Amino acid sequence: MSWLRITSPHGHGPLSTQRVMQLVLLATLPGVVAQTWFFGPGTLVNIVVGGALALGFEWLAVSLRGREPRAALEDFSVLVTSTLLCIALPPYSPWWLLVVGIASSVLLGKHLFGGLGYNPFNPAMVGYVVLLISFPLQMSSWAAPRGLTTPPGLTDALSALLGTPLADGLTSATPLDILRQNKGLLMEDLYATTPQFGRWAGIGWEWVNIGFLIGGLWLLYQRVFTWHAPVAMLAGLGLAALIGYDGGSSISGGSPLLHWLSGATMFGAFFIITDPVSSATSNRGRLLFGALIGIVIYLIRTQGNYPDAVAFAVLILNFAAPLIDQYTVPRAYGHNRREDP
Amino acid sequence: MRRVYGIHGGIHPPEEKGLSNPGTVVDAGLPEKLVLPLSQHIGAPAKAAVAVGDHVLGGQCLASAVGAVSASVHAPTSGIVTAIEPRPVPHPSGIDNLCIEISCDGRDQWVDLEAIDDYRQFTPHELVERVKKAGIAGMGGAGFPTATKLLARDRYAIDTLIINGTECEPYITADDTLMQTAAEAIVEGAEILAYIVGASTVIFGVEDNKPDALQALQQAVNARANGQSDHQLEVVSFPTKYPSGGEKQLIEILTGQQVPSGGLPADLGIVCQNPGTAVAVGDAVLKGRPLVDRIVTLTGRALGKPANYRARLGTPIAHLLALSEFNPSDNERLIHGGPMMGFALGTDAAPVIKTTNCVLVPTRDELPVPPAAQACIRCGLCAEACPAELLPQQLYWYARAKDHEQLERHNLFDCIECGACSWVCPSNIPLVQYYRAAKGTIQEAKEDKLRSDRARERFEARQERVAKEAAEKEAKRAARKAAAQKKASESTDEDPVQAAIARAKARKAQMTADTKQDTPEP
Ligand code: SF4
Ligand code: SF4
């Protein structure tokens, strides 16, 4: 009888990379449902078409690099990338926008750097920013939420996919756009006169954010990531907003609650900056990483000229992540607390 | 009640402790042959003191310790020495090692053991000598020679002895069984150990998944504490988590202190011992009995009858597998130790040694062979699990890049090789394997450097010596020449110019020789 000689440990925990990816996909569900309810089926169409494209590009990239494509397709990571990008894209995007976005994410954001685990930037955000810079018009036209109009149906969605833009009445500026363009209204009046603002942070948007918050908390509970980066980001954003609130005056940057529940805040906090590959690695590093992203988001939202700031903030801090890592090596067991790491 | 502290990281793998029926000891009997490796411990192998053909008695010394860090080996029964040759032994390297084979004669005759009545009549050093004579090495897994560890009292002020009954590895129940069945002997041994190292407090640390062991120890302690104990005895239970039983982790749990990196528990005034070692020390000191048997857990679902055996050292693992009704059809791994830190054996001819706490024989489904590793997704789960508070993921990248400087900066050498990181890694990366390999390479590189530094020093020293000798010779020659010339010039008409030149030459030669002498001897 001969026995296998394998090194310890001989057992393994329940989590696999594939499973982690599946959990992340599952956790987007509440947010996606909310987004679909308020803005119609555009996001779902994005996700399905984008997913198919992503699998195709992944297969192509992995084959070109001379690897076995099956394992890469089975780890679900490319579906996570495409799904996250497609959630962030405006619903009812034309097909070519999806093609360019997914290609940028998968080829430029991921495989150019060596594939899964080697990408310094969040691939979904790379795709998003490429589109934002190349097609600013298409990227800033959001559908109007249910409550302002009746959202488009599936036929509208498919014809939008084929290239017919939504009718004018079906799009609307987001609360963040309105806030940025606000000249002279007190916050109170802005809420009172602009139907888009809804109860807290914008009709539809507030619920979409709550949906992603729920999904994110579930992932936390599943121990897929730690609380450090999301909590720090929300704290950083909240603190910046508090400082810039200015009592709700006409130059107010908006309340913390407005910032927490609008745009891609919760989606970013729990699904984008928690991407482990491109974030800082230690818990202390993640606190810093998250907090800085929160602050940069606020700055871009209030000072910048883009519909949302999450993608830029994330990419900027992806740059800084290796540096943050250098300065946040944790104190190992048995080392003096004050000793240089 | 002693406060217990939390530790960073750790994991909760399935415990699987009930499988091996803890609390009952089964006698493994006497196999036909015992195979005793000369190296069952950390340190220098013992040196054989018998020859092939010798008849030996139980308790007789077969091989004696060599140097300060070593342990003797004794005959577990009477019989004939039938071979002294390399045989398969339990070692991660899988390399055969020198063993003494005894063909047992079945009479189990023993040498006369030299018992003592009251150990307090002896000095600690006399008792350490008895421990040393008994060939005891740490029985918890590492196998450090116990006598050497006990000499810590000479260099450190020890106040606390910790008996590590944590047994945090899944499956293993050998210490649990010992604590349930021999609690008095453990407490007695612990008191002797405390007397030897000079500790005033003895803490028995046990995870809370062993209530019976805790209760047995508490009873034994209560019985002692009623008047006759010289020490403060505390039984402490703490939450179950792997690897709480790591020496450093246990110390933090029980005292809140961390052993300094690169240091010893003794730096904190602490000595840790395993319960099995405590019993062996008690036997050695009181009865003069050497270490010749131990409790071994045979477990895993490929066994019909998992059990805890009292087995003589040298018992071939095949003998125990047969007793436990091993069913090979669905098994592909034979593990010495537990699932987290144990190593796979290539053959069941390897014997039970002083550190064999468990032999794990799982079925394929029970502990499946890991699938191929995937890319690291930098999820950080490994860092969450690491009890040494390292960044296993970074260590992995640096190990792959062979970046020794960064590996040391990220404290590779504080890794206790517990395997928690590999266990959680969703990409199935065999992280510990990389660390073991990297540690080995760095150690080798350091030794190489040391060797080449020494060689260079030797070479330079030689160069210097040769140069100095040459200079001295030259100086003497010059001096002789000068003297001869002086003589000559005295006999003939002295040429003052020539003489002056000769004197100057001689002085110069002398000076060169002097400066050479000023450089220190290597
Ligand atoms: S657990 Fe594995 S995949 Fe995750 S960061 Fe550590 S090494 Fe990478
Ligand atoms: S094996 Fe080393 S790096 Fe991995 S968890 Fe244990 S101590 Fe940490």
Side-chain angles (χ1 to χ4, degrees):
Chain A
M1 165 113 208
S2 82
W3 278 278
L4 278 181
R5 304 207 51 235
I6 312 176
T7 55
S8 64
H10 302 276
H12 192 269
L15 269 189
S16 66
T17 293
Q18 192 186 28
R19 179 115 188 90
V20 169
M21 299 294 169
Q22 289 167 343
L23 290 176
V24 171
L25 283 179
L26 213 58
T28 58
L29 217 58
V32 170
V33 166
Q35 203 158 318
T36 305
W37 169 256
F38 283 102
F39 300 99
T43 305
L44 288 182
V45 173
N46 280 358
I47 291 175
V48 170
V49 177
L53 286 170
L55 288 174
F57 280 121
E58 176 86 358
W59 180 84
L60 187 74
V62 176
S63 306
L64 283 180
R65 293 175 59 213
R67 310 271 169 89
E68 169 55 47
R70 237 188 98 175
L73 295 179
E74 278 176 355
D75 70 19
F76 279 73
S77 63
V78 78
L79 281 182
V80 169
T81 300
S82 71
T83 305
L84 296 183
L85 173 65
C86 290
I87 289 171
L89 290 181
Y92 314 103
S93 293
W95 61 271
W96 47 266
L97 198 76
L98 291 174
V99 172
V100 175
I102 299 281
S104 311
S105 285
V106 177
L107 303 181
L108 190 67
K110 182 175 174 184
H111 284 288
L112 190 69
F113 293 102
L116 180 62
Y118 293 88
N119 45 299
F121 304 105
N122 184 314
M125 292 300 103
V126 170
Y128 187 85
V129 164
V130 166
L131 292 179
L132 198 55
I133 292 171
S134 322
F135 311 105
L137 193 67
Q138 284 81 355
M139 289 298 284
S140 45
S141 97
W142 265 86
R146 185 186 296 274
L148 289 182
T149 51
T150 313
L154 198 60
T155 23
D156 297 323
L158 292 178
S159 63
L161 181 69
L162 294 176
T164 325
L166 283 185
D168 264 358
L170 290 179
T171 62
S172 119
T174 67
L176 285 175
D177 292 331
I178 297 169
L179 180 66
R180 196 173 24 245
Q181 275 139 27
N182 175 34
K183 302 249 180 339
L185 283 183
L186 293 180
M187 285 304 284
E188 220 179 305
D189 299 335
L190 200 61
Y191 267 71
T193 56
T194 324
Q196 276 94 333
F197 273 92
R199 195 178 326 223
W200 303 299
I203 295 181
W205 290 103
E206 48 205 26
W207 288 105
V208 169
N209 271 283
I210 289 170
F212 285 118
L213 172 64
I214 291 170
L217 291 177
W218 181 71
L219 285 179
L220 259 185
Y221 171 75
Q222 296 285 331
R223 293 169 171 268
V224 167
F225 46 71
T226 65
W227 56 268
H228 302 81
V231 168
M233 175 187 136
L234 295 178
L237 178 61
L239 201 68
L242 200 64
I243 293 168
Y245 185 54
D246 195 28
S249 75
S250 59
I251 54 160
S252 169
S255 70
L257 192 65
L258 173 69
H259 281 279
W260 278 332
L261 293 184
S262 53
T265 303
M266 290 299 170
F267 175 67
F270 290 97
F271 291 87
I272 298 298
I273 74 166
T274 48
D275 163 38
V277 179
S278 50
S279 96
T281 47
S282 68
N283 287 342
R284 231 165 18 115
R286 285 174 181 172
L287 282 176
L288 192 60
F289 178 77
L292 289 174
I293 287 183
I295 293 168
V296 174
I297 288 177
Y298 180 79
L299 291 178
I300 301 181
R301 274 184 183 173
T302 51
Q303 314 295 328
N305 219 351
Y306 285 102
D308 199 0
V310 172
F312 279 114
V314 168
L315 289 191
I316 291 171
L317 267 296
N318 283 166
F319 260 116
L323 196 70
I324 294 178
D325 282 344
Q326 285 289 320
Y327 288 99
T328 50
V329 175
R331 182 194 63 89
Y333 179 104
H335 285 260
N336 195 321
R337 269 166 222 280
R338 275 173 311 168
E339 175 186 328
D340 229 4
Chain B
M1 264 309 265
R2 178 173 281 270
R3 162 165 179 215
V4 301
Y5 297 79
I7 53 168
H8 183 269
I11 54 174
H12 295 95
E15 294 175 20
E16 305 284 12
K17 299 270 193 188
L19 198 61
S20 48
N21 190 21
T24 310
V25 183
V26 180
D27 186 3
L30 199 58
E32 254 173 60
K33 290 180 174 172
L34 295 173
V35 180
L36 295 136
L38 297 186
S39 183
Q40 307 182 26
H41 51 267
I42 290 177
K47 190 162 168 285
V50 292
V52 175
D54 286 2
H55 184 263
V56 295
L57 295 173
Q60 182 179 333
C61 181
L62 298 177
S64 36
V66 176
V69 186
S70 183
S72 305
V73 177
H74 299 80
T77 185
S78 55
I80 311 265
V81 176
T82 39
I84 302 180
E85 62 189 21
R87 291 284 178 88
V89 297
H91 192 274
S93 71
I95 297 170
D96 287 3
N97 229 322
L98 206 57
C99 295
I100 298 178
E101 182 191 73
I102 298 176
S103 295
C104 311
D105 60 16
R107 289 197 289 270
D108 204 16
Q109 290 167 319
W110 273 61
V111 295
D112 290 331
L113 300 177
E114 184 200 336
I116 59 173
D117 284 337
D118 184 3
Y119 65 87
R120 293 179 193 79
Q121 308 282 317
F122 295 80
T123 66
H125 278 116
E126 286 166 334
L127 298 185
V128 170
E129 210 34 58
R130 284 178 79 83
V131 171
K132 180 157 188 155
K133 246 177 78 183
I136 301 173
M139 293 165 76
F144 193 79
T146 304
T148 313
K149 198 167 175 179
L150 293 179
L151 290 175
R153 66 157 294 139
D154 293 349
R155 281 169 293 127
Y156 302 88
I158 303 294
D159 54 35
T160 305
L161 169 70
I162 293 177
I163 300 296
N164 184 349
T166 317
E167 206 165 50
C168 58
E169 272 243 17
Y171 284 97
I172 310 178
T173 55
D175 286 344
D176 186 8
T177 300
L178 187 72
M179 290 187 282
Q180 290 188 42
T181 54
E184 293 83 11
I186 293 173
V187 175
E188 173 136 68
E191 295 231 38
I192 298 173
L193 282 167
Y195 172 76
I196 294 177
V197 296
S200 56
T201 305
V202 183
I203 310 174
F204 300 85
V206 184
E207 273 185 344
D208 61 7
N209 62 353
K210 293 181 258 301
D212 295 338
L214 278 163
Q215 197 193 350
L217 279 176
Q218 192 62 58
Q219 275 171 7
V221 162
N222 291 347
R224 285 245 145 197
N226 287 338
Q228 30 166 333
S229 176
D230 305 332
H231 307 104
Q232 187 185 334
L233 307 176
E234 301 174 33
V235 179
V236 180
S237 105
F238 47 87
T240 300
K241 167 158 110 177
Y242 178 84
S244 298
E247 194 168 76
K248 292 175 168 183
Q249 280 62 42
L250 182 61
I251 287 171
E252 183 167 14
I253 290 171
L254 294 177
T255 70
Q257 293 173 283
Q258 295 193 338
V259 180
S261 172
L264 289 174
D267 289 325
L268 302 175
I270 297 171
V271 166
C272 289
Q273 293 287 355
N274 163 274
T277 316
V279 173
V281 165
D283 281 350
V285 166
L286 299 176
K287 303 180 195 153
R289 188 173 185 274
L291 174 60
V292 293
D293 59 15
R294 66 158 299 141
I295 294 184
V296 186
T297 304
L298 261 269
T299 187
R301 292 190 169 76
L303 297 178
K305 277 194 193 159
N308 279 286
Y309 293 102
R310 175 162 293 284
R312 291 176 213 243
L313 302 182
T315 302
I317 286 168
H319 177 84
L320 300 180
L321 288 180
L323 286 181
S324 270
E325 298 174 4
F326 169 51
N327 168 16
S329 63
D330 203 21
N331 158 268
E332 50 192 6
R333 265 191 280 188
L334 179 65
I335 298 163
H336 182 273
M340 295 304 299
M341 294 184 74
F343 51 88
L345 293 173
T347 163
D348 60 1
V352 169
I353 60 173
K354 292 170 190 173
T355 54
T356 311
N357 50 6
C358 178
V359 176
L360 172 58
V361 212
T363 60
R364 256 183 213 106
D365 294 339
E366 196 175 0
L367 293 177
V369 172
Q374 289 165 281
C376 166
I377 54 167
R378 314 213 332 154
C379 62
L381 288 172
C382 47
E384 286 296 294
C386 177
E389 298 167 62
L390 305 176
L391 290 173
Q393 171 203 156
Q394 252 83 337
L395 290 174
Y396 163 67
W397 293 108
Y398 293 131
R400 284 187 48 168
K402 303 205 168 31
D403 186 340
H404 293 176
E405 206 176 299
Q406 283 288 3
L407 280 171
E408 294 202 47
R409 193 174 108 85
H410 283 77
N411 304 312
L412 172 67
F413 283 90
D414 288 310
C415 164
I416 59 169
E417 299 180 22
C418 66
C421 50
S422 304
W423 193 83
V424 296
C425 176
S427 286
N428 273 301
I429 302 172
L431 296 164
V432 210
Q433 204 173 305
Y434 283 95
Y435 309 150
R436 283 198 200 104
K439 280 185 187 175
T441 340
I442 293 179
Q443 211 79 42
E444 261 169 42
K446 278 191 182 156
E447 275 158 25
D448 275 358
K449 180 158 176 346
L450 206 66
R451 258 198 298 278
S452 65
D453 281 355
R454 285 226 189 89
R456 206 187 55 237
E457 272 166 27
R458 268 201 302 275
F459 176 73
E460 283 170 1
R462 206 183 96 85
Q463 291 284 69
E464 214 164 275
R465 205 171 55 238
V466 169
K468 202 171 89 186
E469 280 167 9
E472 272 167 6
K473 250 187 220 152
E474 173 60 28
K476 275 189 193 138
R477 209 178 55 80
R480 262 203 312 276
K481 199 173 159 199
Q485 271 173 353
K486 200 174 163 202
K487 234 183 187 165
S489 63
E490 268 166 9
S491 61
T492 60
D493 249 351
E494 188 176 344
D495 180 350
V497 180
Q498 278 294 332
I501 291 173
R503 273 199 300 278
K505 262 191 190 159
R507 244 199 328 272
K508 195 169 163 210
Q510 190 59 44
M511 250 157 61
T512 342
D514 283 346
T515 29
K516 282 266 157 71
Q517 251 153 6
D518 282 348
T519 47
E521 276 297 314

